[in-house]
Amino acid sequence: MQQHGPVVRRRKLGAELRALRTSAGITSGEAARLVGWHQSKVSRIETGTSGAKPADVRLLLDAYGVDDDQLRELLVMLAGSDDAGGRNHWWHAYRGVLPPTYRDFISLESQASAMRTLETTVVPGLLQTPEYARAVTRAAADGLPEERLDTLVEVRLARQDVLRAQPPLLLSAVLDEAVLRREVGGPGVMSRQLARLVEAARLPHVRLQVLPFAAGAHIGVTGPFVIFSFSSTSDLDVVVLDHLTSSLHLERKEDLEAYTEAFNALLIHALSPEDSLDFIAATAAGA
């Protein structure tokens, strides 16, 4: 099923809350009485028919005796938390600049424990240098005022904090060789970007593999995708497909299995992490 981010989040949140209620041995009617609501509100939240406020989610989690801080934070995030403080919600300061689909993507990225991505055209945003990020953003939004461009680059760089967090996001990226060959921002910018990839590839929580042209046609030719995974529960895993003006979220079990199999197939055809590091370094030397 293809859905836009907010719909997916409501449905996932509702399903998880229903599972937690059932696990606690509480009926929907009892849950409603515990938090002082009508039973219909509990039902609407659990079916994803209506959204839940962060405060509503906390009430339900308290009623169900859920004390796992990581799970609580994740479910509150799915409710669209507007909490101003904390690293996990920094993007709300850019609400007037970023489209909802991008904010959704950042919120998932900030809470995920792992991210698998196929990139066919540009370097993954989490690994871009400031000047490369500026060149990519300028190309994607021609005619953008400098002030707006500065803000979008600032957001791109702020997202990279997930790789410096404790624990950091586990990033596994397959890069088509075209990503390394496409000159973005000029020779100097590209040379420094490739050097940044070499540095990143040496980090213990970053796994980069290059899919060389010699591999021929592959399952990823249809376009890039991202798979987010969450340590608290695999039921919240989601595939994100980016388009020019929006993003699509795939959350059915069949979709997740299909994209996971596709990513695993790409890993087989790609160079090993060690050979990929050498390939990137050689490309940088010749850039």
Side-chain angles (χ1 to χ4, degrees):
M1 178 179 296
Q2 295 185 353
Q3 300 277 9
H4 291 287
V7 177
V8 172
R9 296 203 305 185
R10 284 203 308 269
R11 294 186 61 209
K12 285 183 173 291
L13 174 61
E16 188 65 19
L17 290 173
R18 182 171 61 251
L20 290 171
R21 174 179 59 75
T22 302
S23 178
I26 299 173
T27 67
S28 59
E30 290 169 340
R33 286 193 294 273
L34 285 171
V35 297
W37 299 344
H38 290 294
Q39 183 177 355
S40 60
K41 179 173 180 178
V42 175
S43 298
R44 289 196 304 272
I45 289 175
E46 289 187 351
T47 58
T49 305
S50 63
K53 297 178 180 178
D56 295 338
V57 174
R58 295 188 184 97
L59 278 176
L60 291 173
L61 295 177
D62 288 342
Y64 303 157
V66 178
D67 55 8
D68 182 329
D69 290 339
Q70 188 174 19
L71 178 58
R72 289 177 67 95
E73 185 176 9
L74 177 57
L75 294 179
V76 168
M77 179 274 293
L78 288 176
S81 172
D82 289 324
D83 294 347
R87 177 185 62 83
N88 290 331
H89 308 294
W90 59 265
W91 57 90
H92 288 298
Y94 300 92
R95 181 178 295 275
V97 178
L98 306 179
T101 52
Y102 192 17
R103 295 202 305 270
D104 251 8
F105 184 90
I106 296 173
S107 68
L108 289 170
E109 185 178 71
S110 73
Q111 295 291 343
S113 58
M115 173 179 172
R116 287 164 286 176
T117 181
L118 164 69
E119 290 292 347
T120 58
T121 55
V122 296
V123 170
L126 295 182
L127 302 177
Q128 293 178 5
T129 64
E131 52 190 355
Y132 184 98
R134 176 174 292 275
V136 166
T137 304
R138 190 188 300 277
D142 189 35
L144 202 65
E146 283 298 313
E147 183 177 352
R148 181 73 176 273
L149 180 63
D150 290 342
T151 299
L152 292 177
V153 172
E154 181 179 308
V155 169
R156 180 69 56 90
L157 300 179
R159 285 173 45 202
Q160 298 177 3
D161 281 347
V162 295
L163 295 178
R164 295 183 284 269
Q166 293 300 326
L169 176 75
L170 300 179
L171 175 63
S172 178
V174 174
L175 309 182
D176 191 278
E177 184 177 342
V179 172
L180 309 179
R181 300 295 184 188
R182 178 171 290 103
E183 190 176 281
V184 174
V189 170
M190 199 63 203
S191 177
R192 288 184 287 275
Q193 177 60 72
L194 292 174
R196 169 73 180 110
L197 286 180
V198 171
E199 294 175 4
R202 295 193 174 113
L203 295 173
H205 53 283
V206 174
R207 178 188 178 101
L208 295 185
Q209 290 185 243
V210 175
L211 196 62
F213 291 147
H218 54 78
I219 198 167
V221 294
T222 54
F225 60 85
V226 174
I227 306 173
F228 287 118
S229 298
F230 301 86
S231 58
S232 297
T233 170
S234 62
D235 290 340
L236 297 176
D237 292 359
V238 62
V239 177
V240 181
L241 307 178
D242 268 339
H243 296 281
L244 182 61
T245 58
S246 65
S247 297
L248 289 178
H249 293 58
L250 309 181
E251 39 99 20
R252 292 188 313 167
K253 182 179 180 181
E254 303 94 301
D255 294 325
L256 287 165
E257 289 177 348
Y259 276 87
T260 297
E261 290 177 4
F263 190 80
N264 290 339
L266 290 169
L267 294 180
I268 294 173
H269 292 290
L271 300 176
S272 70
E274 296 76 19
D275 289 342
S276 294
L277 179 58
D278 291 340
F279 190 95
I280 296 171
T283 304

